[in-house]
Amino acid sequence: MANQERLRPDQLRSHRYLGPDDLRSFGHRSRQKQAGFSTEDFAGKPVIGILNTWNDLISCHAHFRQRADEVKRGVWQAGGFPVEIPVMGLSETFMKPTSMYYRNFLAMEAEEVLRTYPIDAAVLMSGCDKTTPALLMGALSANVPSIVMPGGPMNRTSWHGEELASGTDVWRFWAERGAGRLSCEAWCDLEDYIAASPGHCMTMGTASTMTAIAEVMGMTLAGASSLPATHSGHSRMASETGRVAVELAWHNCVPSGLMQRAAFENAITTLMALGGSTNAIVHLMAMAGRAGVSLTLEDFDRISQRTPVLANLRPTGKFVMADFFDAGGLCGLLNRIPDLLHLNAPTVQFRTLGEAIADAPVWNDDVIRLRENPVCSTGSLAVLRGNMAPDGCVIKPAAAESQLLQHRGPAVVFRNYPDLKARIDDPALGITKDHVIVLQSAGPLGAPGIPEWGMLPIPKYLLQQGVRDMVRISDARMSGTSYGACVLHVSPESFVGGPLALVETGDIISLDVAGRTLNLEISEQEFAARRARWTAPEPMFTRGYGKLYFDQTTQAHEGCDFRFLHADGSQDAPPSIY
Ligand code: FES
């Protein structure tokens, strides 16, 4: 990339809109002047589109209006012309049924915005969980030079003298409340403390995982993903991102040049070394589909088995992202595993990944562990197959109680989420800690949107007995801030007739994480009889986005992207101007 030739101004994509002496270009220039800009502001300059995922309901991005201004400052300094373009903010907290339902929507919006407007390079402002993969998917398909400005994790916070972690501690305190150990007043008081600043969730949840992945894939400035959202360095990073975007435009450094097979393998290695979110598997599969890179679930399992977990971060470990930053951040961590990375992979800074992380220090060996003292020697994530999941499913062994990783027990089955909510605490079900809790209809189509329901609740009466983990199985995802012996992404999902749909209460299920299997202990004949009795549910939507989603979404092991986008979009030329 470093040698890529610098374009002349008349070779910029925006020149076709703003340069020629013709009727259309007159219109484009006159409308820039309507907005108060002069010829000197834009003539012969790269146009940098700043895709801002800010809105009032995405509190993780509360600082993005200021950051957009800081990106613009950098763009102006470097001789570019910044244009800010609001795109859909995927709020993990507020979007229902789940922000994942809209990930492909934002990806399509980003792709088309980049394609239709006179943009020479883009700054992708992301942070809250799905915003990073969605924008990268769109940028890959449009194949316009792009750089991610990661939103950064929120600040440390504490409550009643105890350090808190957004997300992870919500689950923990909710379990305490269920067990009768936390009062209603204390639970309400916790609301004021659990998310105490702008920025995405502060654990190694999906947001931190995906921004780290963007960084290791070469799509951010080195060190950018670890910077806390409110640190003054975050503002400086935003401006530098703007400056680099201008250079990306001049050299036409497109995402498909960076996000190649080596970058995906680096992303998986980083995911494992971070003990990152299981959601990253679905997102990386979708991104690979956009990039035309062949990736399978076995790639994740293979790399997991050779990669130690070195980041001692919650929910797998003990610390939060602010500690990770103080300890040296992602660059420090990557510099502990150079032998596991493709160091020649390019980055947006016109240097290789190896050059970006060379000499990066680590200041705290408890937060970023030494190779000889890992949080977990290997196996952060495991891919299982078996007659319950012929196309695969995943578990995060590092976040589960170890005695449950080999388990055999009777199933207690819930047909859907409302059924689970209505009956899980009913003592008449007689659930014991050895039961396997199974949820159906929680997958990409069945829920819809493969929501983060996978950390299925443990019955209150078991919580009161001190039970904190059980084997739980679903076709749902799990929040990256969650934990437990939860088997997720069972594929194919129950809604389309996957074997999960055929499980009945009382069936014996065997889980063997070391052997990578998940099986239902019933005969082939019984399987066939149940399959013959199974009837496909009615589609949920007949119009609108729901119908598009329903008709086109792939299964979890394929990334849940839309089928018609699951291709090498880089071959689509931007439309000509006429
Ligand atoms: Fe936005 Fe967790 S809610 S990252």
Side-chain angles (χ1 to χ4, degrees):
M1 283 187 60
N3 298 326
Q4 208 149 321
E5 246 174 61
R6 188 179 170 93
L7 303 178
R8 298 188 312 271
D10 64 353
Q11 292 175 312
L12 291 170
R13 186 165 168 258
S14 61
H15 177 82
R16 289 182 279 150
Y17 293 70
L18 294 165
D21 178 15
D22 61 19
L23 181 62
R24 288 282 173 209
S25 302
F26 171 87
H28 300 148
R29 289 191 295 268
S30 67
R31 294 301 175 154
Q32 291 291 19
K33 291 177 177 179
Q34 178 187 21
F37 293 109
S38 304
T39 304
E40 291 72 20
D41 287 324
F42 58 82
K45 296 183 176 182
V47 177
I48 307 301
I50 303 166
L51 272 52
N52 191 348
T53 48
W54 175 89
N55 73 46
D56 269 330
L57 286 175
I58 182 164
S59 48
C60 298
H61 297 185
H63 53 318
F64 271 21
R65 286 200 287 187
Q66 183 187 335
R67 291 293 175 275
D69 285 341
E70 288 154 354
V71 172
K72 286 179 187 174
R73 186 174 78 210
V75 173
W76 285 120
Q77 286 168 347
F81 179 60
V83 292
E84 183 178 347
I85 302 174
V87 291
M88 187 186 226
L90 302 181
S91 170
E92 194 57 31
T93 316
F94 283 102
M95 295 187 94
K96 309 297 176 198
T98 158
S99 65
M100 181 64 181
Y101 181 64
Y102 292 104
R103 184 200 63 185
N104 300 345
F105 195 119
L106 174 57
M108 284 185 75
E109 184 188 12
E111 176 182 349
E112 297 308 323
V113 159
L114 295 178
R115 180 170 287 131
T116 195
Y117 280 130
I119 291 172
D120 297 302
V123 174
L124 312 174
M125 298 180 65
S126 75
C128 198
D129 290 18
K130 315 299 179 292
T131 53
T132 302
L135 291 175
L136 284 172
M137 288 160 69
L140 267 164
S141 293
N143 212 23
V144 168
S146 297
I147 179 170
V148 172
M149 191 224 75
M154 65 179 85
N155 291 353
R156 277 190 196 90
T157 180
S158 64
W159 181 67
H160 294 189
E162 185 183 348
E163 188 163 270
L164 285 179
S166 57
T168 299
D169 277 330
V170 176
W171 314 120
R172 187 166 66 85
F173 283 113
W174 181 243
E176 290 302 302
R177 194 179 168 198
R181 283 200 274 269
L182 189 72
S183 71
C184 184
E185 293 69 33
W187 172 252
C188 292
D189 188 50
L190 185 61
E191 280 178 16
D192 292 348
Y193 296 88
I194 195 84
S197 81
H200 60 67
C201 286
M202 63 180 72
T203 60
M204 188 40 71
T206 306
S208 301
T209 304
M210 291 310 302
T211 52
I213 280 175
E215 179 173 334
V216 78
M217 296 186 90
M219 294 300 294
T220 76
L221 299 180
S225 68
S226 311
L227 265 166
T230 60
H231 195 288
S232 62
H234 200 271
S235 295
R236 296 192 293 275
M237 178 273 290
S239 292
E240 175 66 7
T241 297
R243 289 190 287 271
V244 169
V246 174
E247 285 310 302
L248 293 174
W250 281 124
H251 294 275
N252 194 31
C253 293
V254 293
S256 63
L258 289 102
M259 299 174 78
Q260 298 187 344
R261 172 85 198 177
F264 279 92
E265 293 206 353
N266 284 343
I268 299 171
T269 300
T270 303
L271 166 66
M272 302 307 168
L274 289 170
S277 166
T278 48
N279 287 322
I281 300 175
V282 179
H283 298 317
L284 280 166
M285 293 302 287
M287 287 158 57
R290 298 296 185 102
V293 169
S294 166
L295 211 60
T296 67
L297 289 182
E298 276 59 39
D299 289 317
F300 290 84
D301 202 73
R302 174 177 55 82
I303 293 175
S304 170
Q305 292 191 48
R306 74 173 190 214
T307 310
V309 179
L310 297 185
N312 189 8
L313 297 175
R314 299 178 72 179
T316 303
K318 168 168 143 196
F319 296 99
V320 296
M321 285 298 289
D323 302 307
F324 186 58
F325 172 71
D326 290 344
L330 186 67
C331 292
L333 177 132
L334 296 177
N335 203 21
R336 292 218 151 150
I337 51 170
D339 51 312
L340 302 180
L341 295 166
H342 299 285
L343 295 174
N344 284 334
T347 74
V348 286
Q349 289 177 286
F350 300 90
R351 57 181 178 174
T352 64
L353 179 68
E355 289 165 341
I357 65 171
D359 306 323
V362 172
W363 304 108
N364 185 324
D365 291 339
D366 193 14
V367 179
I368 302 174
R369 295 287 187 83
L370 293 159
R371 292 286 279 270
E372 55 269 30
N373 181 33
V375 177
C376 182
S377 56
T378 57
S380 165
L381 300 176
V383 174
L384 316 174
R385 290 187 192 263
N387 66 8
M388 271 190 78
D391 289 333
C393 57
V394 302
I395 188 170
K396 191 171 182 179
E401 289 187 4
S402 56
Q403 80 278 5
L404 293 172
L405 299 179
Q406 182 147 31
H407 184 82
R408 189 170 172 274
V412 54
V413 178
F414 297 91
R415 295 293 167 204
N416 51 45
Y417 196 64
D419 181 34
L420 175 80
K421 277 182 82 174
R423 296 195 299 130
I424 186 68
D425 293 322
D426 181 357
L429 289 180
I431 302 175
T432 70
K433 66 178 176 40
D434 297 324
H435 273 83
V436 176
I437 303 176
V438 174
L439 175 65
Q440 299 167 331
S441 284
L445 302 182
I450 189 166
E452 294 182 338
W453 295 338
M455 192 173 82
L456 307 180
I458 293 171
K460 268 188 192 152
Y461 54 88
L462 290 182
L463 289 172
Q464 284 158 358
Q465 292 167 21
V467 177
R468 288 293 180 273
D469 199 1
M470 291 175 66
V471 174
R472 292 160 271 180
I473 300 174
S474 72
D475 41 16
R477 292 177 301 117
M478 175 170 89
S479 165
T481 60
S482 303
Y483 50 88
C486 303
V487 178
L488 310 160
H489 313 178
V490 170
S491 190
E493 65 174 305
S494 58
F495 191 83
V496 299
L500 187 67
L502 309 179
V503 185
E504 295 181 1
T505 293
D507 289 345
I508 298 296
I509 292 176
S510 60
L511 166 71
D512 178 3
V513 174
R516 299 293 192 263
T517 57
L518 179 71
N519 284 305
L520 184 62
E521 296 185 6
I522 62 173
S523 67
E524 278 303 317
Q525 293 88 326
E526 178 61 18
F527 243 126
R530 290 185 189 183
R531 186 167 299 290
R533 289 197 299 270
W534 183 79
T535 52
E538 288 293 311
M540 282 180 223
F541 303 96
T542 56
R543 63 169 298 282
Y545 178 73
K547 178 156 174 51
L548 176 71
Y549 179 92
F550 210 78
D551 289 347
Q552 293 294 337
T553 300
T554 61
Q555 289 292 293
H557 69 283
E558 300 166 303
C560 301
D561 198 2
F562 290 158
R563 259 176 217 98
F564 61 90
L565 297 171
H566 199 251
D568 185 3
S570 62
Q571 289 164 7
D572 291 340
S576 59
I577 311 300
Y578 54 87

